[in-house]
Amino acid sequence: STEDTGETAAIINTVKAIFGAGGFALPWAFAQGGLALVGSCMVASLAFALESLRMIVKAQDVLVSARLASVEDVSTYAGLTKLAMGNAGDVLCRVMNVVTCFGITVSYLIFIAETCKVVVPAMIGPGLFGAAPTTAAMLQLVAPPMLLLSWLREMSGVNVISAVGTASVGVGMLVTTIAALTSGPLHTASLPAWNFAAFPGFFGTVAFLFFIHFTLFGIQEAMPKREAFYPAAVKAFTAAAAIAGVFGVAGAVGFGPSVASVVVTMLSGPSGIMVQLLLCLNLISTYPIMAQSALRICENVFEGGKPGSLSAPQSIGVRTAFTLGAVYTAANVPNFG
């Protein structure tokens, strides 16, 4: 059954990793680049992502079956990188991985804090944080749950969190889609089919949905039957692509060429506040999946060549430093987001 193989949890966790804040920029991407061009790019990115993931899984199988590595050796992104590319490639990929995850973490924090600056006064009034809260004040609100989530070392511990996050994405997209399609006349005629000039602007939004391979090793590792991982990933990627395509087209057609780069800002009233809160919940629940590979790499630095030798307090210290460093950067580096 899917429960015995861990497929259901893997699908939920993978969908959660795919849909971060970028998914809510898809209506803008379709409106800018054109329905046909962006749709084609999405299909091409999906195909490339699945083929490269198949190659990664095949590389793991070949190394283990040839007894060149153990299952544990290839169970992390950094571990497979070292075996495949040697020491120089290993160091380069580790650095790029940590920098990428750190930057994403900072961007998540900024996005959540900026959203809270609008949502919190609307929900609780101006009493506690004032009528116009600062980003720094909202980061103090966001930092504790992010910190606690960073301490999770086992992917099995985030299954419930991922399910909540995936549900929040689904509800947020549904509410936004209904609002777009009922906001007035549809803008099908005013949207381009192809706009190659907009390609540099929208491609990152489309591609980053699927180019998340460094986050997937922990999901695979948590499965009772690792051979079920790739079929589960195919289902998750395909379902996410279908949902993303429908959501992007509906938002572009409903709101038209003037749709905002983050579509939830087009919503007003209680529904707008609810969707923005759901998006924040989504990003917070994504963090332990997205940052896991970078956090493990940071831990490896202090293990002295002995994987798994770091004690729980030391691990918490490393993960706390990473997260608080991201909070400090979000609060003090202008325009980072």
Side-chain angles (χ1 to χ4, degrees):
S1 70
T2 57
E3 291 184 2
D4 293 337
T5 62
E7 182 179 88
T8 301
I11 291 173
I12 292 173
N13 285 331
T14 302
V15 171
K16 184 73 241 49
I18 290 172
F19 282 123
F24 286 84
L26 286 171
W28 172 85
F30 274 97
Q32 295 297 308
L35 303 183
L37 179 58
V38 176
S40 299
C41 288
M42 183 175 289
V43 171
S45 296
L46 172 65
F48 181 75
L50 286 176
E51 176 59 15
S52 56
L53 183 59
R54 185 195 67 79
M55 294 170 68
I56 286 173
V57 173
K58 182 66 174 178
Q60 290 176 311
D61 293 340
V62 168
L63 287 165
V64 172
S65 62
R67 297 184 178 180
L68 297 172
S70 66
V71 172
E72 290 72 22
D73 291 335
V74 297
S75 65
T76 64
Y77 190 77
L80 181 61
T81 297
K82 183 174 183 178
L83 289 162
M85 302 178 64
N87 289 330
D90 175 44
V91 171
L92 177 61
C93 280
R94 284 173 182 264
V95 171
M96 292 171 66
N97 193 328
V98 171
V99 170
T100 298
C101 290
F102 186 83
I104 295 171
T105 301
V106 176
S107 296
Y108 277 14
L109 286 164
I110 292 172
F111 185 93
I112 296 170
E114 292 298 320
T115 303
C116 288
K117 285 167 64 174
V118 177
V119 171
V120 169
M123 291 183 62
I124 66 174
L128 186 60
F129 296 100
T134 64
T135 300
M138 295 299 96
L139 285 171
Q140 293 176 24
L141 198 63
V142 175
M146 295 286 275
L147 195 59
L148 291 173
L149 288 171
S150 74
W151 295 350
L152 291 173
R153 302 178 71 182
E154 300 297 331
M155 286 303 301
S156 57
V158 304
N159 287 344
V160 174
I161 297 171
S162 291
V164 172
T166 303
S168 72
V169 170
V171 173
M173 286 186 165
L174 179 61
V175 172
T176 304
T177 299
I178 293 173
L181 296 179
T182 58
S183 61
L186 302 182
H187 298 79
T188 308
S190 60
L191 297 176
W194 308 82
N195 181 16
F196 288 97
F199 181 84
F202 76 74
F203 178 70
T205 297
V206 174
F208 195 69
L209 285 174
F210 306 117
F211 298 167
I212 55 163
H213 297 55
F214 62 91
T215 69
L216 300 179
F217 281 72
I219 297 173
Q220 180 196 45
E221 187 181 9
M223 296 184 71
K225 294 187 177 180
R226 296 164 61 92
E227 62 271 17
F229 168 68
Y230 184 69
V234 171
K235 293 177 183 178
F237 272 72
T238 305
I243 294 169
V246 171
F247 175 70
V249 170
V253 169
F255 290 123
S258 61
V259 61
S261 59
V262 179
V263 70
V264 294
T265 60
M266 304 289 292
L267 306 179
S268 58
S271 63
I273 292 175
M274 181 190 73
V275 171
Q276 291 181 62
L277 284 173
L278 288 172
L279 183 52
C280 290
L281 178 62
N282 166 39
L283 294 182
I284 291 173
S285 62
T286 303
Y287 180 56
I289 300 174
M290 179 277 300
Q292 197 65 225
S293 60
L295 293 170
R296 291 193 176 189
I297 290 171
C298 292
E299 288 177 338
N300 291 343
V301 174
F302 298 93
E303 288 176 337
K306 298 178 181 179
S309 63
L310 209 64
S311 67
Q314 290 172 318
S315 172
I316 290 175
V318 171
R319 291 163 177 261
T320 298
F322 182 94
T323 306
L324 291 184
V327 172
Y328 179 84
T329 303
N332 291 280
V333 178
N335 302 316
F336 190 100

